[in-house]
C-alpha cells in the first residue's frame, strides 16, 4: 500500500511538472491555452498518494507491534 501511495505521488509530481513544461499561450483572438486539467489531477494524485502511503505505513506499524 505504501508503494502505491509513492507511485501516486510521483505521478502527481509528473503531472505538475508537465503543466509547467508545457506552459501556456495566448492566441490571436486573446484566448488563453493551457493544460489546466493537469493542475487538479496533479494535486489530487499527490494528496491521495500521501494519504494512501500514510494509511499503509500506519497499518504496517500496527501489524508489526501486534506480532510482538
Amino acid at each position: 500500500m505504501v508503494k502505491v501511495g509513492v507511485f501516486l505521488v510521483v505521478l502527481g509530481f509528473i503531472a505538475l511538472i508537465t503543466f509547467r513544461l508545457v506552459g501556456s499561450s495566448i492566441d490571436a483572438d486573446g484566448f488563453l491555452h493551457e493544460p489546466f486539467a493537469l493542475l487538479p489531477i496533479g494535486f489530487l494524485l499527490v494528496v491521495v498518494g500521501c494519504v494512501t502511503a500514510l494509511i499503509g505505513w500506519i497499518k504496517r506499524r500496527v501489524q508489526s507491534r501486534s506480532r510482538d
Side-chain angles (χ1 to χ4, degrees), residues 18-50:
T18 303
F19 175 79
R20 292 292 284 167
L21 290 176
V22 170
S24 59
S25 62
I26 299 175
D27 65 6
D29 294 328
F31 287 104
L32 177 64
H33 296 279
E34 64 181 358
F36 181 74
L38 290 175
L39 277 178
I41 290 171
F43 283 121
L44 183 68
L45 285 172
V46 169
V47 169
V48 170
C50 288

Side-chain angles (χ1 to χ4, degrees), residues 7 13 17 19 21 24 28-29 31 56 59-60 62-64:
F7 179 71
F13 281 126
I17 290 169
F19 175 79
L21 290 176
S24 59
D29 294 328
F31 287 104
K59 278 184 162 181
R60 190 183 314 172
V62 168
Q63 287 175 355
S64 68

